[in-house]
Amino acid sequence: MSELLLFPLGQYLGAVHPGQGLPVRHHQVRIGSDVHPLDDGSELDVWALAHGHPAVVGLRPATRGLLEALAAEVGLRSAERVVDQLLDRGLLVQVEPGSAAAETFARGHRWYSLLTGLGESSPSRAGIGLLGAPPVRDLPAAVFEYWTWAHLFPDLHSAAAGLAEMAAGTPGEPAVATDADEVLQDLLGSLHELLCVNGGFLDVAGAAR
Amino acid sequence: MSAPAEPDDDVQRVLPLGHSLGVRDDGTRFEVRLGPLLHRLDAPRFAVWALCSGLPDAVGPWTAADVLARALDAGVADAAQALDRLRADGLVATAAPVGPTAHELARRVRLMPQLLGLGNSAEAPHSWSMGFPDRPVVALDATLYDLVCTAHLDSSLWRACESSSAVARRSGVPDPVATDPEQLLAALLRAIHPLLSSGAVRLDTWQVQP
C-alpha cells in the first residue's frame, strides 16, 4: 500500500487589495466555477505548502505528515487544524496512488500545465520555465511528457490512458509506461514535481465552459 | 456594438500559435506543440516563431515586417522563407484588433495562461500582475486580467471574451471594454505581445477528445 499524498486543488488567482494602501482582503483560488477566498495567513500558507517545497519534492512523498513537519519548521502554528479545514472545503485532497479511490479522483479531476518547455538538459531530463531564462525545474523525461500532454485531456484518467497509448506507439524505449494504470500511479506520484514550481495546477474535470 | 477604433487597429499583428517544448537532439531541433500535433522546427524556424511573440523593447503593433527585421539583425538565415512555412503549418497567424481577421482568429484559437495570477497590490490596486509568487513578470488592467486568467476554461478565445464580458455585465462593471466581447477582444489583441513575449500566455488550439 502506498502513502496518502496530499494535493492542493485549484488555480491561484492572487491577492485582492480593495484599494490604495489597504491591506490584502483575501487571496483567491478558483476550482471549477467557484472562487474560494483564502485568508492572508495560515490558510494561504498551508495551501501553498501543499504544493511541495522544490528542495524536498522527489526525496520524500508529499504527505500530510511532511506538510505538517515543514509547517512546524517555518513556525506555522495550527497547521493541523488548517489542513482539516482546507480538506473539508475541497481546497486540499488526499489520494493514495493505485487505490480505487485514486481512480475515482482521476476521473473527476484534470491537470492544466503552466510555463514553457525549455527542452532537454540531458538525454533523460528536460526543463520548464520561461524562454531565455534558466529552468525553474529540471524534470525526469516521464514528468516532462506528463507536463507536455496531460493538460490536453479532460481528466487525469483519460490523460494516463492517452499517455500510455502514445508510449506504446513510440519507437525505442519510451519515457512513459505503456500500461495506463501504471502511468496513472506514476503521474499522481509525480505531480508535486510540477506543483512545487507552479508548473501547473489541478482542477475539477468538466468545468470547462 | 463594434469596438471604437484606435490608431493602428487595422494593422495586422503577427502571432505565434502553440506551446514551446524547447530544444531536442543536442540543440539541432526545437519542438512546438499545437493542439495534439507536435511540430519539429530547425533553429531558424524556431527563432522566427519565437520572434513572433514580440520583444520587450518593441513599441507599437508587432508585425511580420518587425519579425523579419529583427531576424535579419540576429543573423537568422532565410527568415522570410521560415515565416512562410510557419504560416503554412498553422504555427503563425495574423490578425488586426478590429474586424474580420480578429473574429476569424478568436474563433479558431484558445488563449491559455502560462503564469500564475498574482492579484493586485496595496501600492497599485488597479494593476494586476502575473508571474511567480515572489516575482511578478507582467502587469495588466483588471479587465484583461480577468479574461486572461480564466480564458482556458472556454473552447475558443471568442467564447472566453463572451464569458468574461457576461460576468462583467452581471457584476455591473461600467466599462464597455469589459462588458462588450468585441471591445474586449480588441483590447486583448492590442495588448497581447507583452503577454506573449513574457510567457504569460500562449495561443493554442483544441484539446484531445477521447
Side-chain angles (χ1 to χ4, degrees):
Chain A
M1 197 169 116
S2 54
E3 290 182 275
L4 275 176
L5 301 182
L6 183 70
F7 293 101
L9 290 186
Q11 177 191 11
Y12 183 59
L13 293 179
V16 178
H17 292 262
Q20 186 83 33
L22 295 177
V24 62
R25 184 163 62 200
H26 56 247
H27 297 257
Q28 299 190 115
V29 174
R30 183 197 58 76
I31 303 175
S33 55
D34 296 325
V35 176
H36 301 260
L38 290 182
D39 71 34
D40 191 43
S42 55
E43 288 184 357
L44 179 70
D45 291 342
V46 165
W47 187 77
L49 268 181
H51 290 68
H53 190 289
V56 178
V57 165
L59 302 176
R60 292 174 62 184
T63 62
R64 176 175 184 159
L66 177 63
L67 181 145
E68 289 173 0
L70 288 173
E73 270 185 43
V74 297
L76 181 59
R77 293 176 187 175
S78 66
E80 196 178 330
R81 176 179 56 78
V82 177
V83 170
D84 283 338
Q85 289 170 349
L86 295 182
L87 285 167
D88 284 346
R89 291 172 61 192
L91 285 148
L92 297 177
V93 63
Q94 292 192 96
V95 180
E96 182 190 348
S99 67
E103 186 179 325
T104 304
F105 171 78
R107 289 184 189 279
H109 293 83
R110 63 164 299 153
W111 176 257
Y112 283 104
S113 292
L114 298 173
L115 303 178
T116 296
L118 303 180
E120 286 174 350
S121 53
S122 74
S124 61
R125 300 187 76 87
I128 56 172
L130 294 179
L131 280 180
V136 298
R137 189 80 176 171
D138 193 37
L139 302 167
V143 183
F144 188 80
E145 292 295 305
Y146 302 154
W147 173 85
T148 300
W149 299 107
H151 63 110
L152 298 182
F153 293 85
D155 60 71
L156 293 169
H157 191 267
S158 61
L163 280 154
E165 196 179 317
M166 286 167 60
T170 302
E173 202 169 311
V176 173
T178 55
D179 176 77
D181 291 339
E182 200 179 323
V183 174
L184 180 58
Q185 190 161 347
D186 190 54
L187 172 63
L188 292 174
S190 303
L191 284 182
H192 285 87
E193 287 273 357
L194 303 171
L195 289 165
C196 74
V197 290
N198 296 298
F201 55 88
L202 286 163
D203 199 354
V204 290
R209 298 182 290 222
Chain B
M1 187 190 291
S2 64
E6 290 192 5
D8 300 328
D9 267 355
D10 57 344
V11 175
Q12 298 283 317
R13 275 70 167 172
V14 65
L15 299 157
L17 306 188
H19 195 188
S20 170
L21 304 182
V23 65
R24 288 282 168 119
D25 304 331
D26 296 327
T28 57
R29 296 251 165 223
F30 296 80
E31 292 183 340
V32 174
R33 180 201 52 72
L34 179 63
L37 297 179
L38 195 62
H39 295 259
R40 293 189 169 84
L41 309 181
D42 56 22
R45 267 197 299 154
F46 183 75
V48 170
W49 179 84
L51 272 173
C52 290
S53 291
L55 289 169
D57 63 346
V59 178
W62 188 250
T63 67
D66 293 312
V67 169
L68 294 179
R70 295 299 186 111
L72 187 64
D73 290 347
V76 177
D78 301 323
Q81 194 181 355
L83 186 57
D84 286 344
R85 188 151 169 215
L86 289 165
R87 280 189 171 122
D89 288 343
L91 291 169
V92 166
T94 49
V98 174
T101 56
H103 280 254
E104 188 275 328
L105 177 82
R107 284 188 162 83
R108 73 181 176 90
V109 301
R110 304 176 71 200
L111 178 67
M112 310 298 286
Q114 296 191 146
L115 292 174
L116 291 184
L118 301 178
N120 64 356
S121 67
E123 296 74 32
H126 300 296
S127 176
W128 297 73
S129 54
M130 298 177 75
F132 299 94
D134 54 350
R135 184 161 60 95
V137 171
V138 68
L140 307 85
D141 65 27
T143 299
L144 289 183
Y145 183 82
D146 288 345
L147 171 66
V148 165
C149 286
T150 58
H152 60 289
L153 298 176
D154 285 284
S155 57
S156 73
L157 171 56
W158 176 247
R159 287 191 176 198
C161 290
E162 288 185 319
S163 297
S164 194
S165 58
V167 170
R169 284 196 299 277
R170 283 200 297 275
S171 307
V173 173
D175 180 3
V177 174
T179 56
D180 173 16
E182 291 206 30
Q183 293 197 46
L184 183 55
L185 175 61
L188 174 79
L189 292 177
R190 289 179 196 121
I192 198 167
H193 279 99
L195 302 176
L196 290 165
S197 63
S198 63
V201 302
R202 71 172 181 278
L203 296 169
D204 208 327
T205 57
W206 320 116
Q207 65 181 22
V208 175
Q209 296 298 326

